[in-house]
Amino acid sequence: MGEGETMGLITDIRNSVRRVTDNLFDSGEPKRIGIYGPPNAGKTTLANRISRDWTGDVIGPESEIPHETRRASRKENVEIKRNGKTVTIDIVDTPGVTTKVDYEEFVAYDLDEDEAIERSREATEGVAEAMHWLREDVDGVLYVLDSSNDPFTQVNTMLIGIIESQNLPVLVLANKTDLEDSNVGRIQNAFPQHDTLAMSALEGENMDDVYDRIAEKFG
Amino acid sequence: MIDVGEVTHDSADGVRIDMVSAERLDGMATMEKIRMVLDAVHEGNIVILEAGLAPDEESKLIEVTMSEIDPDGFSGIEIETYPKSSSDPSLIDRLVGGSSTSKLTVIGPANRIETLHKDESLISALVSRQ
Ligand SMILES: Nc1nc2c(ncn2[C@@H]2O[C@H](COP(=O)(O)OP(=O)(O)OP(=O)(O)O)[C@@H](O)[C@H]2O)c(=O)[nH]1
Ligand SMILES: [Mg+2]
């Protein structure tokens, strides 16, 4: 290969790298940030808090019953103001990801059998949709975990692996730090390769830090 | 039924375990792998994949699993990868952990996690025979 060709190749590579980064980071469109994590981690509570703080609206219902969110729902053009700069993102709240859904689990929460079956049917569709979004339609991820639970689960390992394989920027959020058995260190240990932030979506603890990091990561 | 694995073993309580070698997996398309796994799991069997699945394949496996869950029957899968990055290494972790390149993914029906753990010694016996 002559020097000219080498230069041409390098220019080509540089151009295609620029195209990719343009798409991800410099296009006029706001970046779509998916909120992912296992059921009940507090994803919707976080989505609502972010949306309420910056737009005044809420995104969806929060509940102690797993699979409360069964359709991905989006809040567009959330403008986060940080140090005189404005970062505009679309927030996508997704259904908690799992590899199994047993409707009898919902009967235990006082739903009648028909409601439980309907909830489980919607939940499975929602999880499938969330996986699809993760492969095709998000530009960054807020990965939410309940810090009072063991983070070493297969679902967490697989999802983080999928996010890494897509080269998506990700912020791991150790939620529910207000709970007595919250253990943030355990999450840092589980995913040492990623930035982890402790927070409570319910109490609003540490949200300033969360917004700083969102602006840095996705701005 | 087609024998999908290189080694098939029946445990004491009649659960069939299919071991699929990395070489065999290599020659299969993503959807072929997913179908093979889910067909076996639908029958109540356990599948062990040497070298496991790629992240993208895991993502599709979850998606297809979801579409097949049915309140009257199938409630999904249980999946475990060894060695785990856990602080409490199991027998399989220690065994597989011996060589850094080996990875095993064990997939079974959701309501059979007990069986998976009970059969840990059986799985490790199969692994050591490779
Ligand atoms: N103590 C405490 N509870 C929280 C916190 N964040 C959320 N929760 C509670 O956890 C439960 C689940 O919250 P959701 O926001 O619905 O969780 P989710 O991750 O959206 O759940 P799915 O939509 O089912 O996947 C609710 O009862 C919330 O009030 C927190 O920071 N601290
Ligand atoms: Mg939710």
Side-chain angles (χ1 to χ4, degrees):
Chain A
M1 201 187 283
E3 203 179 318
E5 279 171 73
T6 315
M7 288 303 290
L9 182 64
I10 290 170
T11 312
D12 279 354
I13 292 171
R14 203 182 289 135
N15 284 342
S16 60
V17 167
R18 188 172 308 131
R19 250 190 328 273
V20 170
T21 41
D22 277 355
N23 283 343
L24 284 180
F25 299 109
D26 295 322
S27 62
E29 292 287 296
K31 261 138 268 166
R32 229 178 265 146
I33 307 305
I35 303 185
Y36 279 84
N40 234 28
K43 296 178 296 299
T44 304
T45 309
L46 173 68
N48 284 341
R49 180 167 287 279
I50 297 174
S51 180
R52 216 184 297 114
D53 281 354
W54 301 101
T55 73
D57 306 327
V58 300
I59 293 188
E62 308 159 11
S63 160
E64 53 170 17
I65 312 180
H67 299 296
E68 180 62 25
T69 308
R70 299 184 293 283
R71 292 302 304 263
S73 58
R74 178 151 45 137
K75 180 72 193 167
E76 295 184 326
N77 296 312
V78 177
E79 295 186 347
I80 297 178
K81 296 190 174 62
R82 238 48 212 159
N83 307 321
K85 216 182 111 192
T86 299
V87 177
T88 307
I89 55 175
D90 292 351
I91 297 279
V92 185
D93 179 30
T94 70
V97 173
T98 179
T99 60
K100 55 187 175 181
V101 177
D102 185 352
Y103 79 93
E104 292 190 10
E105 182 191 347
F106 305 130
V107 177
Y109 287 93
D110 270 354
L111 270 69
D112 72 35
E113 179 150 316
D114 285 348
E115 286 170 329
I117 289 177
E118 180 61 10
R119 191 181 183 92
S120 97
R121 201 186 52 74
E122 291 173 0
T124 57
E125 281 173 17
V127 174
E129 186 188 37
M131 295 314 298
H132 199 85
W133 273 77
L134 186 53
R135 287 200 310 272
E136 317 265 326
D137 290 315
V138 298
D139 306 313
V141 174
L142 293 172
Y143 198 78
V144 183
L145 289 164
D146 177 340
S147 59
S148 70
N149 289 341
D150 182 6
F152 290 101
T153 66
Q154 186 72 28
V155 162
N156 289 335
T157 311
M158 284 194 293
L159 276 176
I160 292 287
I162 293 162
I163 291 162
E164 286 170 354
S165 74
Q166 310 263 106
N167 286 318
L168 293 169
V170 57
L171 208 51
V172 176
L173 299 175
N175 190 32
K176 308 200 186 183
T177 49
D178 56 295
L179 296 179
E180 208 177 313
D181 41 1
S182 156
N183 184 343
V184 177
R186 198 164 49 168
I187 294 178
Q188 278 159 340
N189 273 339
F191 309 108
Q193 70 277 35
H194 296 294
D195 298 328
T196 300
L197 267 183
M199 57 162 291
S200 164
L202 192 66
E203 309 276 325
E205 267 167 43
N206 210 26
M207 288 308 294
D208 269 335
D209 260 5
V210 171
Y211 293 134
D212 282 346
R213 302 310 298 281
I214 287 177
E216 263 173 50
K217 263 261 175 278
F218 310 122
Chain B
M1 178 177 174
I2 339 156
D3 181 13
V4 289
E6 296 205 334
V7 185
T8 298
H9 193 102
D10 290 291
S11 73
D13 48 2
V15 178
R16 203 178 107 167
I17 299 176
D18 294 329
M19 297 247 340
V20 188
S21 68
E23 199 185 359
R24 195 185 159 93
L25 278 173
D26 238 10
M28 296 170 82
T30 298
M31 278 316 291
E32 267 183 283
K33 295 180 196 175
I34 291 174
R35 253 326 352 126
M36 171 193 71
V37 167
L38 287 177
D39 287 348
V41 171
H42 272 294
E43 303 234 334
N45 300 329
I46 289 169
V47 184
I48 303 179
L49 306 177
E50 188 194 0
L53 296 169
D56 201 54
E57 294 173 333
E58 291 181 336
S59 164
K60 286 181 184 134
L61 175 65
I62 297 175
E63 197 175 331
V64 179
T65 299
M66 287 298 124
S67 72
E68 296 185 2
I69 289 179
D70 165 11
D72 300 320
F74 186 56
S75 60
I77 61 173
E78 207 84 63
I79 170 165
E80 290 191 356
T81 295
Y82 301 93
K84 285 193 214 157
S85 38
S86 160
S87 50
D88 173 31
S90 70
L91 181 64
I92 299 178
D93 296 329
R94 288 199 299 276
L95 200 83
V96 177
S99 116
S100 61
T101 51
S102 44
K103 175 186 164 188
L104 281 188
T105 296
V106 181
I107 304 162
N111 47 5
R112 296 290 262 288
I113 185 71
E114 290 299 301
T115 320
L116 281 187
H117 286 151
K118 203 162 51 170
D119 278 341
E120 203 166 82
S121 56
L122 170 64
I123 292 168
S124 50
L126 288 171
V127 173
S128 62
R129 242 169 50 189
Q130 289 212 307

